[in-house]
Amino acid sequence: METNQRPYHLVVFGASGFTGQFVAEEVAREQVASGQSSSLPWAVAGRSREKLQRVLERAALKLGRPTLSSEVGIIICDVTNPASLDEMAKQAAIVLNCVGPYRFYGEPVVKACVENGTSCIDICGEPQFLELMYWKYHEKAAEKGAYIIGSSGFDSIPADLGVIYTKNKMNGTLTAVESFLTIHSGPEGMCIHDGTWKSAVYGFGDQSNLKKLRNEANLKPVPIIGPKLKRRWPVSYCRELSSYSVPFLGADVSVVRRTQRYLHENLEQSPFPWLFSFGYFSKQGPTQKQMDGSSFTLRFFGQGYSQGFGPEKGKPNTRICTQVKGPEPGYVATPIAMVQAAMTLLNDASDLPSMGGVFTPGAAFFRTKLIDRLNQRGMEFSVISSSEV
């Protein structure tokens, strides 16, 4: 990725927000971990210089880097001021957009980045916004060489990359996947910040517009290989995990399906039907103790056909179980995923899609080393079992 003409490789927009402060911390942490303190110029951006300065001071204290606040640029930028967004985009190779709900505040950032040939990563979990950005900006982003990659936090990198990992680890053809998310909390309990909760609510509440958008897109259905999975009841028992599950109402299903369509249409990979299964929030968000004591496990149960077998020979004859394990999902795993996605954009350019555009994480990163990077940062991908039936 071309960075020579831009003063900053990364700009964290919305760094003074609740999630943005943790993303800024993670960029600072990445500088040290990768030994790139001097070769990874970055900045924070937002409306208030004082608040941004305080974010850098807190990060400096937390990470034991007293000079951090003087080493990081500060850009004053307001999502309601298009000129300021243009100025921010012109200074960055990649904007890490942490300003949500994206349904209300996301498009001006995407527009500014596309028009200025700047790549952009967000952590959106709102399917209608994500899909609308594809239809409005994909061709222009490709023309400008900008990579616009949505849902690059806990929504939806573990799910999207986890399915690709499962597919790559199966010795044959994967035809269906069920996925189950378990959130673990320690003695301090768990908590979600009010802003994160609002973004989720707005995403769920825009289903009518999402349905209209998909109808207007008039996409051809992707082929189905092998039998479909049986639909589960809204509350169903999972024998493999010895627990009950409810549907997970996030962006993961939308994102994974878009990735599978991309891989089928561009690389002729076989897609598959799948079913994804699965609270607390406050104005203040979780405490550090709550975050330290929380984690997640995302378990994938896949089925398909071994080498030399197919639907013409009967039912699927091979199964695989994989998992992604990681730290607290909202404010630890999400910054890790977002920053590692950005580092992958910076460092694995030859393995990205040949042209820019609007992509899901799986579509952008399926050939890259992102899973290896995540493994090194505490988000572990592994095979639990694999067997022929």
Side-chain angles (χ1 to χ4, degrees):
M1 178 167 294
E2 183 60 49
T3 57
N4 296 337
Q5 306 305 317
R6 310 284 175 116
Y8 303 114
H9 289 185
L10 307 178
V11 171
V12 181
F13 180 47
S16 58
F18 191 82
T19 303
Q21 64 181 321
F22 294 111
V23 173
E25 277 182 21
E26 189 61 28
V27 175
R29 195 175 286 113
E30 173 63 22
Q31 282 187 303
V32 175
S34 60
Q36 298 190 75
S37 295
S38 59
S39 60
L40 184 65
W42 66 288
V44 290
R47 291 179 295 178
S48 167
R49 180 177 295 276
E50 291 74 20
K51 288 182 179 179
L52 293 170
Q53 190 68 41
R54 284 200 294 272
V55 166
L56 293 176
E57 289 169 357
R58 283 197 298 269
L61 186 64
K62 188 172 180 179
L63 301 176
R65 292 181 58 189
T67 61
L68 178 66
S69 57
S70 63
E71 297 168 359
V72 180
I74 292 179
I75 300 172
I76 304 306
C77 183
D78 190 329
V79 75
T80 63
N81 183 339
S84 73
L85 293 176
D86 283 333
E87 284 304 307
M88 174 183 68
K90 288 173 183 176
Q91 297 181 69
I94 304 171
V95 169
L96 281 66
N97 183 16
C98 302
V99 179
Y102 293 90
R103 175 180 170 185
F104 301 126
Y105 306 120
E107 185 171 356
V109 181
V110 171
K111 185 173 186 288
C113 286
V114 169
E115 290 180 348
N116 291 283
T118 304
S119 293
C120 180
I121 294 173
D122 69 43
I123 46 177
C124 177
E126 304 161 44
Q128 197 271 345
F129 170 80
L130 295 164
E131 296 185 30
L132 181 63
M133 292 304 97
Y134 173 82
W135 292 112
K136 291 187 72 169
Y137 294 100
H138 179 67
E139 291 184 3
K140 184 70 171 179
E143 177 189 320
K144 291 283 192 174
Y147 292 85
I148 309 299
I149 305 172
S151 53
S152 293
F154 181 70
D155 275 3
S156 294
I157 277 183
D160 206 15
L161 273 293
V163 168
I164 289 174
Y165 177 84
T166 304
K167 198 170 186 178
N168 290 341
K169 292 297 183 181
M170 177 172 254
N171 184 28
T173 302
L174 184 68
T175 62
V177 177
E178 283 191 295
S179 181
F180 295 87
L181 168 66
T182 305
I183 302 292
H184 314 276
S185 61
E188 297 287 328
M190 63 173 292
C191 181
I192 299 171
H193 185 258
D194 182 55
T196 303
W197 176 254
K198 284 179 179 175
S199 291
V201 168
Y202 289 130
F204 303 154
D206 215 16
Q207 292 299 309
S208 60
N209 284 332
L210 178 59
K211 186 176 181 180
K212 181 181 176 183
L213 178 66
R214 289 173 176 172
N215 288 338
E216 290 173 352
N218 198 27
L219 294 170
K220 294 180 180 178
V222 295
I224 293 174
I225 300 173
K228 284 187 177 181
L229 291 171
K230 291 182 180 179
R231 282 200 171 274
R232 291 181 178 269
W233 292 97
V235 178
S236 60
Y237 187 74
C238 175
R239 290 194 305 271
E240 294 88 347
L241 297 178
S242 301
S243 65
Y244 286 89
S245 67
V246 298
F248 179 72
L249 302 176
D252 291 347
V253 171
S254 164
V255 170
V256 171
R257 284 177 176 162
R258 288 171 58 211
T259 294
Q260 294 304 309
R261 175 177 290 278
Y262 173 87
L263 297 177
H264 169 66
E265 292 178 347
N266 291 273
L267 299 171
E268 299 183 353
Q269 293 190 13
S270 59
F272 54 84
W274 88 317
L275 180 68
F276 194 94
S277 304
F278 188 73
Y280 310 89
F281 71 99
S282 76
K283 291 285 185 183
Q284 292 75 31
T287 65
Q288 188 63 50
K289 282 187 176 181
Q290 285 175 319
M291 288 189 287
D292 290 344
S294 300
S295 62
F296 76 89
T297 302
L298 193 52
R299 192 75 63 92
F300 301 87
F301 297 97
Q303 67 180 35
Y305 297 97
S306 59
Q307 297 286 353
F309 283 76
E312 70 281 354
K313 295 189 177 181
K315 295 180 179 179
N317 70 330
T318 186
R319 298 185 183 277
I320 187 171
C321 175
T322 64
Q323 72 176 18
V324 182
K325 291 182 68 175
E328 188 279 330
Y331 312 106
V332 182
T334 284
I336 289 171
M338 190 182 208
V339 172
Q340 292 311 313
M343 297 308 296
T344 302
L345 265 185
L346 285 173
N347 295 304
D348 295 0
S350 62
D351 296 322
L352 298 172
S354 57
M355 297 178 66
V358 179
F359 297 99
T360 59
F365 298 129
F366 73 98
R367 281 199 184 106
T368 69
K369 300 180 180 68
L370 178 55
I371 288 177
D372 294 337
R373 295 178 190 278
L374 294 171
N375 271 318
Q376 293 168 9
R377 298 298 188 276
M379 225 187 272
E380 302 171 5
F381 291 68
S382 60
V383 176
I384 304 302
S385 64
S386 180
S387 60
E388 291 192 19
V389 180

